[in-house]
Amino acid sequence: MTSTNGNGRRPSRLTVHEDAQQMIDRARQEGIETVWDRLEAQEPQCGYCALGLSCRNCAMGPCRIDPFGEGPQKGVCGADADVIVARNLGRTIAAGSSSHSDHGRDILEVFNAMAHGETVGYGVADEGKLRRVATEIGVDTEGRSTEEVAIGLAEVLLDDFGTRKGSLSFVDRVPAVRRDKWAGLGITPRGIDRENVEMMHRTHMGVDNDYVNLLLHGLRTSLADGWGGSMIATELSDILFGTPQPVMSEVNLGVLRRDQVNIAMHGHNPLLSDVVVAAADDPELIELARSYGATGINIVGLCCTGNEMLMRKGVPMAGNHLMQELVLITGALEAMVVDYQCIMPSVTDVAKCYHTQVISTSDKAKFPGATHVSFDPRRGADIAREIVRLAVEAYPNRNHERVRIPVEPVRMMGGFSVEAILGALGGTPKPLIDAIAAGSIRGAVAVVGCNNPKLPQDLEHIELTRELIENDMLVLVTGCAAVANGKAGQMLPESAAMAGPGLRSVCEALGIPPVLHMGSCVDNSRIMVLAAALADALGVDIDQLPLAGAAPEWYSEKAVAIGAYVVASGITTVLGVQPPIFGSPHVVDLLADGLDGVVGATFAVEPDPHRAAQLIHRHIEAKRQGLGLPFVEPDEIREGVPVAVAGPGSSEGS
Ligand code: SF4
Ligand code: MSK
């Protein structure tokens, strides 16, 4: 493999982290190609696609619309820019929503099999939550065994995927006023699969040719994710593996151990990782590792599988999306075990340069060059041991002279489920509401989402968060954002010192960080539950609350689905990367403005983290004013300090 190696651009222009910079340097020395090289090789990327103006939905095309008005303004079928952009966005939402929801269904199927006694290695870890959720959605729990309740819960949730009901079970968690709003717009999610299938139907040539109608169905499809597939994944994972409670952990490449067998669990689904963590404690496997000269077996996380393990078990986190190739370049990894989503096909190429085994585990996500061990919940514990054994047996092949673990790990705190947050508040949201009403906390901002090599890795996450907490806004994080903030030391109880005086005093009183780790990508559903609880406690709709969302470095279709359901639920969201919609001024107007009159929230795009923070601060103060709370006038909100956001595509990059 040959590397163009970012054309000599300084690693400090590609990522803000020392561990990543050292590994990029090493990739260059060893001629190993990484994501930044491939981005550069793709440049300039297609301008039609970047604007959302290309369509390949049928064989009369592919078609494109000329954004300058000189070339074609319609596809062969007659679709104009509005229809093409809206159709593309609709399909993106459906792909993201389907990804989360298929993950949710996988968990549900194992949960159902567990309830019927057909699995090995799985059980109910949180009986209280099982009974609470079952009661909430109408399953009789009185005098029934754990298994009977679990079967009843599984049956109701299995129906949520189809068309047998008019609305999803968890939609009842939404404040009534918002449910009425959705019903009025015709966007109440009915069945998870149904909304996704209908979106694929509507975007076929010659079906829905009204961009407004298409986008409304996009919102409905996303709601089937946020209040359906993702929420099912979160709730059942808590019941199966435990509801997260505050826990200390460590983050960055320093979590790898020079003297141990290192196994990185990568992807999204906790079904396998949970049993692998248990298998790593198997005395026989530890003895085998010792027989090869290692002192033990070290499990670390990557991306959202890592978040699932960190949240529940405090398993250390090696890194987020853009670290997945760099962790291999340490030469210290015996195995990268992957399930699905966000796993670059390139990991097998990089692994070939070392002794690392890539072990794929999902029959729906195979990787040429990987060893495939098919996950089967009926033999979960055995399969986990088989995987750990493969990793241990790779240890003798490690070239110890090539091992480079670049930094010491940073401590971080995770585990802030809604239950944990309410627990810290004494069992009710009232202290949080009181702090918001008094103005010591101005509001809360969900900073979520991925990395994107078009931006310096983690810069936007860290800078946006820094400015928000300095201005007394509580930050809730999930996914790759949480890893970024953890690496920057923003997620410790003592990080309260980085916050403004109001937020600092609340965090110090409660012993919590100003940035709360709420989990993986599907766990954005926790943020929805918290928002609904706050709205209900105040007797208002979600869009009246001083809340905002941000996805500063998003890349994935799942992130688009998340953004759409967050906005449809009433929370304005700022994106740091431009979505491919700017080919249609009508679509842009609707998403950035028109939606405000429809769902009470909009999208904004602001790549500069300081300007984004300012925009969010103004939004939150406006919401405070709307609620009759003390607020800061917009012109009193200080100007942020813009930074040059230079990525590989920037001329400033070298
Ligand atoms: Fe072209 Fe229309 Fe076919 Fe799209 S659906 S490829 S715009 S003819
Ligand atoms: S892993 S979807 S890169 S947050 Fe959930 Fe990270 Fe984004 Fe994947």
Side-chain angles (χ1 to χ4, degrees), residues 472-489:
D472 292 319
M473 284 167 271
L474 179 67
V475 171
L476 312 172
V477 290
T478 60
C480 292
V483 183
N485 299 126
K487 285 174 81 165

Side-chain angles (χ1 to χ4, degrees), residues 247-261:
V247 62
M248 288 304 302
S249 189
E250 294 183 325
V251 62
N252 75 27
L253 292 182
V255 301
L256 298 171
R257 298 279 170 263
R258 182 172 283 279
D259 56 350
Q260 296 197 5
V261 173

Side-chain angles (χ1 to χ4, degrees), residues 263-575:
I263 304 174
M265 305 297 300
H266 181 12
H268 281 77
N269 194 316
L271 285 170
L272 178 73
S273 52
D274 194 80
V275 282
V276 167
V277 171
D281 282 336
D282 184 321
E284 191 194 317
L285 290 169
I286 293 173
E287 197 40 53
L288 183 66
R290 290 201 177 122
S291 74
Y292 289 132
T295 61
I297 301 168
N298 181 38
I299 308 284
V300 301
L302 279 169
C303 289
C304 281
T305 294
N307 282 320
E308 298 274 357
M309 298 191 303
L310 186 151
M311 287 283 286
R312 295 196 178 86
K313 296 187 161 46
V315 171
M317 172 65 89
N320 53 9
H321 184 55
L322 288 183
M323 298 306 291
Q324 61 184 290
E325 294 173 312
L326 304 184
V327 68
L328 294 162
I329 294 168
T330 62
L333 210 57
E334 273 57 54
M336 175 181 280
V337 183
V338 301
D339 48 73
Y340 44 51
Q341 297 170 17
C342 301
I343 301 149
M344 292 186 195
S346 62
V347 292
T348 47
D349 292 331
V350 180
K352 272 185 220 145
C353 304
Y354 301 90
H355 70 297
T356 313
Q357 291 251 5
V358 177
I359 302 172
S360 56
T361 57
S362 167
D363 289 348
K364 60 183 95 168
K366 292 200 174 176
F367 292 70
T371 302
H372 189 68
V373 179
S374 178
F375 172 70
D376 178 351
R378 290 167 303 183
R379 301 194 306 111
D382 287 346
I383 289 170
R385 275 193 293 273
E386 185 184 337
I387 286 170
V388 174
R389 183 180 296 277
L390 279 172
V392 171
E393 284 173 351
Y395 186 79
N397 301 328
R398 185 195 283 188
N399 179 344
H400 291 270
E401 284 173 14
R402 287 185 79 198
V403 170
R404 182 153 142 205
I405 299 172
V407 290
E408 290 299 314
V410 173
R411 288 163 57 244
M412 68 181 284
M413 184 182 250
F416 289 95
S417 58
V418 174
E419 290 85 343
I421 293 173
L422 293 180
L425 295 170
T428 133
K430 190 164 178 311
L432 179 58
I433 291 170
D434 289 347
I436 291 173
S440 40
I441 296 179
R442 311 306 297 174
V445 186
V447 180
V448 306
C450 326
N451 291 145
N452 188 320
K454 293 176 178 176
L455 302 172
Q457 184 209 12
D458 291 348
L459 173 73
E460 297 221 19
H461 286 303
I462 294 166
E463 285 298 297
L464 174 62
T465 299
R466 184 178 65 72
E467 202 154 317
L468 292 174
I469 62 176
E470 275 176 11
N471 285 288
D472 292 319
M473 284 167 271
L474 179 67
V475 171
L476 312 172
V477 290
T478 60
C480 292
V483 183
N485 299 126
K487 285 174 81 165
Q490 294 170 324
M491 296 174 72
L492 289 163
E494 52 267 37
S495 318
M498 299 175 179
L503 178 60
R504 176 179 181 163
S505 65
V506 173
C507 291
E508 285 177 347
L510 297 173
I512 60 171
V515 182
L516 301 182
H517 189 345
M518 293 192 74
S520 64
C521 301
V522 294
D523 293 338
N524 286 306
S525 63
R526 297 190 200 277
I527 297 172
M528 296 294 94
V529 172
L530 186 61
L534 291 175
D536 279 340
L538 281 167
V540 300
D541 194 357
I542 295 173
D543 65 344
Q544 294 173 266
L545 297 171
L547 302 178
E553 302 180 27
W554 73 276
Y555 91 89
S556 73
E557 293 165 312
K558 293 178 293 172
V560 179
I562 294 167
Y565 75 66
V566 168
V567 168
S569 299
I571 301 174
T572 285
T573 296
V574 182
L575 307 175

